Amino acid sequence: MNIEVIKADITKIPADAIVNAANSSLLGGGGVDGAIHRAGGKQILEECIQIRNRQGKCNTGEAVVTAAGNLPAKYVIHTVGPVWNGDEDKSSKLLEDCYKNSLQLAESLGVKTIAFPNISTGIYKFPKELAGRIAVETVRNFQSDNIEKVIFVCFDEENEMIYKKLLD
Ligand code: ADP
């Protein structure tokens, strides 16, 4: 699996799947979640509502998939990151689950390229360096037959520098 880092708006990335740092309601929110729903249009929210009607809310660490509406991607994989509360072990495991479950879902959909935002490092306040280490390690450890490229899409310079260093 080829791993890339870029500083960009994830809604502009033409990958097979982009990942959304959603909240457990799946009904949209701020940050990257708001940006994805705004740029992708109402199809994404409609499918999120159908998922909620089927299974209820999405638990932290889990992932679900919708179409990508107007985005230049095929799928949006919505995963719910942990809110940082200082419990490093528990939060780290949940963040690892986000990356693992998103990759597993992508794998089952035959996705070749997948783009991740820096899950939980915005409104959810997960320490960026630790989040980056977990993201890179989980992707590196994932065994895949289909996924050829993983793109870490950083939105701020601090994350970009952290990821560049981790992947050096
Ligand atoms: P969380 O609630 O999981 O912390 P946020 O959306 O607040 O989710 O932040 C997650 C990360 O996404 C942060 O690093 C934030 O800077 C970044 N981000 C915000 N908007 C975008 C965007 N349009 N594209 C890519 N990343 C974004």
Side-chain angles (χ1 to χ4, degrees):
M1 242 158 40
N2 176 14
I3 304 179
E4 279 178 20
V5 183
I6 53 167
K7 184 162 170 289
D9 175 349
I10 203 166
T11 65
K12 304 273 186 354
I13 305 293
D16 291 333
I18 65 163
V19 176
N20 180 18
N23 59 55
S24 59
S25 79
L26 294 177
L27 299 181
V32 71
D33 194 7
I36 286 172
H37 280 281
R38 266 194 309 279
K42 67 176 180 356
Q43 188 189 9
I44 300 177
L45 184 60
E46 281 167 6
E47 290 193 23
C48 283
I49 291 169
Q50 285 170 14
I51 292 167
R52 271 196 61 125
N53 291 342
R54 234 177 16 242
Q55 69 163 51
K57 72 183 175 78
C58 184
N59 291 323
T60 305
E62 290 177 0
V64 299
V65 64
T66 66
N70 304 322
L71 299 174
K74 259 190 241 153
Y75 304 108
V76 177
I77 293 176
H78 306 260
T79 188
V80 181
V83 179
W84 180 256
N85 63 1
D87 184 341
E88 185 171 328
D89 289 350
K90 192 166 171 217
S91 302
S92 297
K93 166 75 174 62
L94 287 168
L95 189 61
E96 185 185 329
D97 286 348
C98 287
Y99 284 94
K100 230 189 255 171
N101 287 325
S102 297
L103 288 165
Q104 225 140 46
L105 193 49
E107 178 75 10
S108 73
L109 293 162
V111 161
K112 288 195 166 69
T113 57
I114 178 169
F116 282 98
N118 308 131
I119 301 166
S120 282
T121 67
I123 298 159
Y124 284 0
K125 299 252 183 320
F126 203 104
K128 289 180 183 173
E129 172 81 38
L130 177 59
R133 285 207 304 271
I134 292 166
V136 169
E137 198 172 309
T138 307
V139 166
R140 277 187 173 146
N141 288 337
F142 190 78
Q143 298 293 324
S144 173
D145 295 324
N146 296 325
I147 302 170
E148 292 166 2
K149 186 156 82 174
V150 176
I151 308 166
F152 287 116
V153 181
C154 302
F155 202 56
D156 58 81
E157 245 154 61
E158 197 188 344
N159 266 316
E160 187 193 19
M161 274 165 51
I162 289 170
Y163 276 80
K164 287 210 159 137
K165 215 171 73 198
L166 284 168
L167 291 166
D168 217 6

